[in-house]
Amino acid sequence: MPTTVHLVYPSGPAISCPDAIGRNLAQRLARRRRVVTHPWDAIERLRPAPGDVLVGHPHPAPWTIFRMSARSPGWRRIVVLCPYAHGEKGQVAYLHSSVRRAHRYLAITGPYWWRRVPAGPFAAWATRMERVDLAVDRRDFPRVKGPFAPPGRRRFLYVGNTASPKNVRYLSAIARAMPESSVSWAGSGTPIAGVHPLGMLDFSLAGARDVVASHDFLLTVGRSDANPTTVLEAMAWGLIPVCTPQSGYEDVPGIVNVPLDDVPAAVRVLRGLQSAPEETLRDLRATNDRELEQRYTWDRFAAQVEAAIDAEGEPAELRMGVAERTRILLASLGYAHSPLRPGNTLGLLRANLGRAAARARGSEALP
């Protein structure tokens, strides 16, 4: 009988991540196995049948589905699958209890963070970690950008939120230091001084894609960003991505790096792009097209997950002292997504009550 995979990941219809991760992975795993998807913030505990596998994204709250279910005995394999960046330690510290129970941690992260795992605050996890690249479906993110704007008239676009790891104060400082260039922002959060707000855009709609096409570069300057999918989406659209190495992508062909928290140096790079010959930008775009076809595909992503599911043997040993475990616990409790913050817990309860109400309404509608 095929293995049943319990996949804990958002998997709705949105073309953006995290929904795109869960949906594309479930579709591919289902070619060989029975797959059951679960919301990552569900409050329940799964108990496996013989041979079952648990795969997915743990939630910061310890009473949620992945973390509760990982405590159930009998799983053939437990695979953690989620982003990794340790620029802000609390961002991933909550994963420790899940990594401790897992056979494998598939870390969705770029080369910058991966190279620094052995010397980082979670070096003890390294024996169970494997790096995974994100992916993009070019049918969802088609080429929209034609010729680049003439030198001096090129525009920059930031896509994302204003959470701490995104480092939007630095984005604001850069934009204000080069007033001759237009910097826009598609997303939600507190206003970013010097950056023109576009609001939330649904990139599945033609109007939103037209807005994208009026820009030339994606600009993201995170300080602790695993490897944002917006970089790959921009590549697919035909924009040139520009980011800090701490956005995950470091020395990657086709992606231009700017240094972290060094406004004059960043502005020099961006002004260089503003005046670069069209041929230079076309060459970068051609490189990105090759990378999208060869590396950043959902088939490659799913193949790595399947290999972790099919692997045999016991998990590698984790060596971590009491003091180190204590530091990790304190970091997780003090971070913005800690369940100790009442707003986080209330939001979690509302999500579960909302799903329960929707299920009840669906049952009532049945004949």
Side-chain angles (χ1 to χ4, degrees):
M1 182 177 180
T3 298
T4 295
V5 175
H6 290 272
L7 177 60
V8 178
Y9 226 102
S11 55
I15 63 172
S16 58
C17 291
D19 281 17
I21 295 174
R23 185 178 64 254
N24 280 283
L25 180 57
Q27 290 170 355
R28 285 160 176 79
L29 294 180
R31 295 169 183 169
R32 293 180 50 206
R33 304 169 167 85
R34 178 174 177 261
V35 177
V36 182
T37 59
H38 306 272
W40 82 306
D41 57 353
I43 299 175
E44 65 175 301
R45 180 171 182 168
L46 303 173
R47 301 185 185 277
D52 282 1
V53 173
L54 179 66
V55 178
H57 194 324
H59 190 280
W63 50 84
T64 46
I65 183 167
F66 190 97
R67 294 177 65 173
M68 290 286 290
S69 301
R71 299 187 183 104
S72 297
W75 295 104
R76 193 184 70 78
R77 302 283 290 177
I78 298 175
V79 179
V80 172
L81 173 68
C82 65
Y84 174 87
H86 61 252
E88 296 183 4
K89 188 162 66 172
Q91 194 175 356
V92 293
Y94 76 91
L95 295 173
H96 179 67
S97 64
S98 299
V99 174
R100 185 165 59 85
R101 293 181 170 88
H103 293 78
R104 204 77 179 138
Y105 173 16
L106 298 181
I108 302 172
T109 194
Y112 177 89
W113 296 111
W114 185 247
R115 292 165 185 157
R116 288 157 178 80
V117 169
F122 306 100
W125 297 355
T127 55
R128 297 190 185 181
M129 293 177 73
E130 176 184 343
R131 190 175 85 81
V132 180
D133 282 312
L134 267 177
V136 66
D137 189 331
R138 302 194 72 174
R139 293 170 298 183
D140 291 332
F141 295 90
R143 173 62 47 79
V144 296
K145 182 67 180 176
F148 293 97
R153 294 170 54 188
R154 293 164 182 163
R155 305 176 67 202
F156 298 86
L157 175 66
Y158 168 60
V159 179
N161 58 47
T162 58
S164 172
K166 299 295 185 180
N167 199 23
V168 294
R169 288 186 180 180
Y170 183 37
L171 179 67
S172 172
I174 291 171
R176 288 182 283 121
M178 40 182 264
E180 75 279 7
S181 292
S182 170
V183 182
S184 300
W185 164 41
S188 62
T190 55
I192 307 173
V195 178
H196 175 65
L198 301 172
M200 291 294 293
L201 296 179
D202 181 350
F203 295 118
S204 67
L205 302 178
R209 291 172 178 167
D210 289 342
V211 172
V212 169
S214 69
H215 296 79
D216 302 274
F217 306 100
L218 177 90
L219 177 59
T220 187
V221 293
R223 69 171 67 256
S224 185
D225 215 350
N227 58 346
T229 328
T230 53
V231 168
L232 305 184
E233 294 164 0
M235 290 162 62
W237 285 324
L239 276 60
I240 305 302
V242 184
C243 69
T244 50
Q246 291 80 2
S247 295
Y249 302 92
E250 178 185 45
D251 299 328
V252 175
I255 298 175
V256 178
N257 282 142
V258 292
L260 179 67
D261 294 340
D262 185 341
V263 173
V267 168
R268 283 195 295 272
V269 173
L270 299 180
R271 285 179 172 155
L273 291 171
Q274 184 67 269
S275 61
E278 168 94 8
E279 183 180 2
T280 299
L281 303 186
R282 287 202 304 265
D283 287 346
L284 288 170
R285 183 156 64 186
T287 297
N288 289 335
D289 284 337
R290 290 192 295 271
E291 290 292 294
L292 289 172
E293 294 299 324
Q294 297 171 12
R295 175 176 293 274
Y296 302 115
T297 71
W298 288 118
D299 284 343
R300 181 171 179 261
F301 181 94
Q304 287 185 265
V305 178
E306 289 213 82
I309 290 172
D310 291 338
E312 301 290 342
E314 294 301 311
E317 183 180 3
L318 290 184
R319 296 183 178 180
M320 184 175 288
V322 174
E324 192 173 0
R325 292 198 301 271
T326 301
R327 285 195 295 270
I328 288 175
L329 174 62
L330 293 176
S332 69
L333 294 178
Y335 199 65
H337 53 214
S338 168
L340 295 183
R341 300 195 177 196
N344 293 340
T345 298
L346 288 173
L348 182 64
L349 292 173
R350 280 196 295 268
N352 279 271
L353 290 172
R355 280 194 294 268
R359 286 194 296 269
R361 288 194 297 271
S363 299
E364 290 169 3
L366 293 175

